[in-house]
Amino acid sequence: MLELLKKNMPSEFPEKNHKHLLEEMLRLSDWYLHIWCQIYPSISKFDVPDLTWMNSGKVSVLIRLLESYKANGDRVLIFSQFVMVLDILEAILETSRIQFTRLDGSTKVDERQTIIDEFRDDKTITAFLLSTGAGGTGLNLMYANKVVIFDSSFNPQDDIQAENRAHRVVQTRDVEV
């Protein structure tokens, strides 16, 4: 594999950096390699095939659920404990043309309420992507009546806390997890 990468390395990268760059590329997940190929188009021949992130049974079910929820006027909270999974889910939702907003640990504190208000006010936003750590506790997200735990936490209490973001006293619809 290393020999194949060496042979196909673009000339814009100095020869002395090839070994280091190739070692880094071999360690990357498919998703991060895809991101690198977006940043550095000259290495695009190493990119994963287009729309690879859509080839998953879990993704297919999620898209079907989201499309049916959207048709019913439901709003969805989608939790993941991994930011990289949220990055992939973003690409999936963009590919599927499902409007969403996102909040994770990298979201600045002074921007969080604005994002929550946008989800509350804009009924065209079907999904709210949240990291379980940053969005799983302390937020009132009763604007959604569906909750998807895309990947479960190692601590089941984290998922229960995340579910409870939609289970609020003022919730007028049945909440489905």
Side-chain angles (χ1 to χ4, degrees), residues 71-97:
N72 289 338
D74 295 323
R75 317 275 303 286
V76 188
L77 304 177
I78 304 173
F79 287 95
S80 174
Q81 60 179 328
F82 304 106
V83 173
M84 183 170 64
V85 171
L86 292 177
D87 294 341
I88 295 168
L89 288 172
E90 244 187 71
I92 289 164
L93 295 180
E94 287 171 353
T95 301
S96 303
R97 293 189 172 99

Side-chain angles (χ1 to χ4, degrees), residues 35-69:
I35 298 301
W36 266 32
C37 291
Q38 298 294 309
I39 295 169
Y40 305 107
S42 63
I43 61 172
S44 63
K45 67 180 105 200
F46 300 112
D47 200 356
V48 294
D50 198 26
L51 301 178
T52 299
W53 48 87
M54 299 298 286
N55 298 332
S56 159
K58 196 172 183 178
V59 167
S60 297
V61 169
L62 177 67
I63 295 304
R64 277 198 316 272
L65 281 173
L66 291 175
E67 287 172 346
S68 70
Y69 293 159

Side-chain angles (χ1 to χ4, degrees), residues 79 131-140 157-158 161-162 165:
F79 287 95
S131 67
T132 307
T137 57
L139 298 179
N140 181 356
Q157 208 53 40
D158 293 342
Q161 280 290 325
R165 299 311 93 218

Side-chain angles (χ1 to χ4, degrees), residues 8 17 30 51-52 85 95 143 153-154:
N8 291 303
N17 294 335
D30 287 348
L51 301 178
T52 299
V85 171
T95 301
Y143 323 110
S153 174
F154 299 109

Side-chain angles (χ1 to χ4, degrees), residues 18-46:
H18 281 196
K19 185 175 189 238
H20 173 71
L21 181 60
L22 295 172
E23 287 172 359
E24 287 296 314
M25 289 172 71
L26 287 171
R27 284 190 216 122
L28 292 174
S29 69
D30 287 348
W31 181 252
Y32 281 127
L33 183 58
H34 169 69
I35 298 301
W36 266 32
C37 291
Q38 298 294 309
I39 295 169
Y40 305 107
S42 63
I43 61 172
S44 63
K45 67 180 105 200
F46 300 112

Side-chain angles (χ1 to χ4, degrees), residues 109-168:
V109 174
D110 59 338
E111 295 174 0
R112 292 180 184 211
Q113 190 59 52
T114 304
I115 293 169
I116 293 168
D117 293 344
E118 179 184 8
F119 181 68
R120 177 194 66 210
D121 298 337
D122 188 346
K123 303 293 190 248
T124 65
I125 299 174
T126 303
F128 197 156
L129 298 175
L130 300 122
S131 67
T132 307
T137 57
L139 298 179
N140 181 356
L141 299 172
M142 55 79 172
Y143 323 110
N145 63 317
K146 305 291 185 192
V147 179
V148 174
I149 307 294
F150 196 78
D151 46 55
S152 298
S153 174
F154 299 109
N155 180 352
Q157 208 53 40
D158 293 342
D159 293 337
I160 292 168
Q161 280 290 325
E163 292 171 20
N164 288 336
R165 299 311 93 218
H167 285 289
R168 310 314 280 175

